[in-house]
Amino acid sequence: MVKCGIRSVAQLAGVSIGTVSKILNPGSAANIRVSEETRDKVLAAAEKLDYRPSYGAKLLRGESTRTIGFATSLPKDHNIAYLSSYTFRLLNGIGQAASLNGYQVLLLNGVDYSYFLNIKRVDALIMVSFPLCSNPERERMRGMFEEFARRNYPYVVINGEPAAPGEPVIPSIGVDNESGMRQIAELIRRKGYESVGFAGELTPNPQSHHLERVRALERFLAGSGCRFSPELVLNGSGSGIPEVPRVGRYSHEDGRVILQYLHERKQIPRCMVCGNDDIAMGLLKAAREYGIRIPEELAVIGFDDDVNADYLCVPLTSVHQPLEEFGRLAVDYVLEKMNDPGRQIQLTIEPKLIERSTT
């Protein structure tokens, strides 16, 4: 069969090539000005000739790809199977908002994201950030953000870290960690827990967000009479604290090993605050194995409010991040940025503590 082109479709439908292009490009602003009769004729001709628009040709013409790139920040040697529920919730919000606006989403991982913008493979970029305490990629990322700023690319970072002095301002949408930890501290004070620990990542290079949460919790608990001493803060590894190999960014194993470590040393506090819900779930599993009653002997608080938090054997108290809303807001912003190059966003959203049966 001879492959037919857009010219053949136009001839069969009795319209111009430009009209065919408008109708077969669902993102075309001119599409709405085409009559239903003309649209039907073109679609029927395209179907009869088995014609499909050439994506490669659209790229060569520099047209919009109607595609938003989503950079997952997975390690290079991992695949999509290691995406956490955190990332999937962001993706749900991004996907819904993109679809409503006639866009598709392309997952990007472990690559030079600027390349996809430079060749116009994507029209915009949304990045989910997991800022490390010590980021060996920092200089490369700084150079990339400087390029984005210079070229005025539409991009946004979800839950990133503030730009350092002298660095370009990074468009961002994120959670208010201070507010989340303040709400946790208020619950701890109200419950009268006499001692509190923190379970983070058992890795030499944990997330800086966890360190930020530890500092905020310490500050909000000051003067409460609740013991929050350094030996109860397990965030990082070394000095006798084991390292847990990474599977993705966060690990249930962190929580399990942390409770085992505290149990062996008879240092289990009255309440454990966890860096995220995956860690909390691992800790809860270990508590069942050791016969520790939740919440009578150990209260557990997570962060993120995982979709499974309410369905555990003992439903998990957690700080709810509106991750789906982050995704929708990110799409709204990059689409606005395309039409208004001067648009900027630095949005911090207050989370909400959801109390359940683990406290």
Side-chain angles (χ1 to χ4, degrees):
M1 178 185 293
V2 177
K3 187 168 180 63
C4 297
I6 192 171
R7 186 181 300 276
S8 300
V9 176
Q11 289 175 346
L12 182 59
V15 298
S16 69
I17 293 174
T19 298
V20 175
S21 178
K22 292 172 185 176
I23 292 172
L24 297 183
N25 176 10
S28 172
N31 202 4
I32 59 174
R33 295 196 291 271
V34 178
S35 71
E36 287 300 318
E37 181 183 359
T38 300
R39 187 193 311 276
D40 290 343
K41 285 196 300 183
V42 169
L43 293 177
E47 183 68 25
K48 183 174 181 179
L49 296 173
D50 194 28
Y51 172 77
R52 298 292 182 271
S54 169
Y55 178 75
K58 290 168 70 69
L59 285 181
L60 290 173
R61 291 194 299 268
E63 296 179 16
S64 168
T65 64
R66 309 298 294 180
T67 303
I68 296 172
F70 178 51
T72 63
S73 296
L74 271 175
K76 292 181 181 180
D77 57 344
H78 289 90
N79 59 39
I80 193 171
Y82 291 98
L83 286 179
S84 65
S85 62
Y86 172 100
T87 306
F88 274 120
R89 285 175 59 197
L90 289 173
L91 186 55
N92 282 338
I94 291 169
Q96 290 170 13
S99 180
L100 285 173
N101 287 279
Y103 277 76
Q104 60 186 342
V105 179
L106 177 66
L107 292 181
L108 308 175
N109 177 48
V111 294
D112 180 4
Y113 306 129
S114 60
Y115 170 78
F116 289 85
L117 286 165
N118 289 338
I119 68 167
K120 301 186 185 301
R121 176 61 183 86
V122 297
D123 297 336
L125 179 66
I126 298 172
M127 303 177 66
V128 54
S129 177
F130 298 89
L132 302 171
C133 286
S134 175
N135 191 351
E137 296 277 305
R138 187 168 184 77
E139 284 305 310
R140 185 183 69 80
M141 298 296 289
R142 176 181 177 177
M144 185 175 71
F145 289 138
E146 287 175 345
E147 179 186 0
F148 288 176
R150 187 171 62 252
R151 295 177 181 267
N152 221 4
Y153 281 149
Y155 82 100
V156 65
V157 179
I158 295 177
N159 273 336
E161 57 185 333
E167 293 185 347
V169 174
I170 300 172
S172 62
I173 297 169
V175 69
D176 186 340
N177 282 308
E178 290 267 318
S179 174
M181 301 317 288
R182 174 182 52 76
Q183 293 176 59
I184 287 176
E186 288 172 354
L187 181 149
I188 290 170
R189 286 171 177 261
R190 176 160 46 87
K191 294 283 187 177
Y193 298 141
E194 66 276 8
S195 59
V196 174
F198 184 89
E201 294 179 299
L202 299 185
T203 169
N205 195 12
Q207 304 299 318
S208 59
H209 280 177
H210 286 194
L211 184 58
E212 180 183 343
R213 290 169 190 171
V214 168
R215 289 169 177 164
L217 183 60
E218 183 178 28
R219 189 166 64 255
F220 289 126
L221 287 176
S224 67
C226 176
R227 182 168 64 90
F228 187 50
S229 51
E231 66 269 16
L232 297 178
V233 176
L234 299 174
N235 187 48
S237 61
S239 301
I241 300 173
E243 177 181 350
V244 172
R246 297 294 90 198
V247 179
R249 292 295 184 185
Y250 299 110
S251 174
H252 295 86
E253 189 70 0
D254 288 312
R256 190 196 68 78
V257 172
I258 283 171
L259 193 67
Q260 177 184 6
Y261 178 89
L262 292 172
H263 183 263
E264 290 173 351
R265 287 158 180 75
K266 296 181 171 54
Q267 291 181 323
I268 295 178
R270 182 63 184 84
C271 174
M272 284 297 294
V273 177
C274 300
N276 79 336
D277 287 354
D278 283 346
I279 295 171
M281 290 176 194
L283 194 145
L284 287 171
K285 182 178 185 297
R288 288 195 300 272
E289 293 171 356
Y290 289 121
I292 299 171
R293 292 178 300 149
I294 306 292
E296 293 82 3
E297 295 176 297
L298 174 64
V300 180
I301 303 172
F303 204 105
D304 290 344
D305 195 27
D306 184 275
V307 292
N308 298 309
D310 199 29
Y311 297 92
L312 301 174
C313 292
V314 184
L316 176 65
T317 292
S318 184
V319 175
H320 177 77
Q321 287 201 68
L323 298 175
E324 293 83 359
E325 182 64 12
F326 286 1
R328 288 190 286 269
L329 289 169
V331 171
D332 290 345
Y333 167 72
V334 294
L335 295 183
E336 291 170 6
K337 177 74 171 178
M338 292 180 199
N339 297 317
D340 179 10
R343 179 94 163 85
Q344 288 291 350
I345 188 172
Q346 285 190 298
L347 180 62
T348 301
I349 297 176
E350 184 172 1
K352 180 181 180 181
L353 179 65
I354 308 297
E355 287 191 51
R356 298 191 180 95
S357 303
T358 57
T359 52

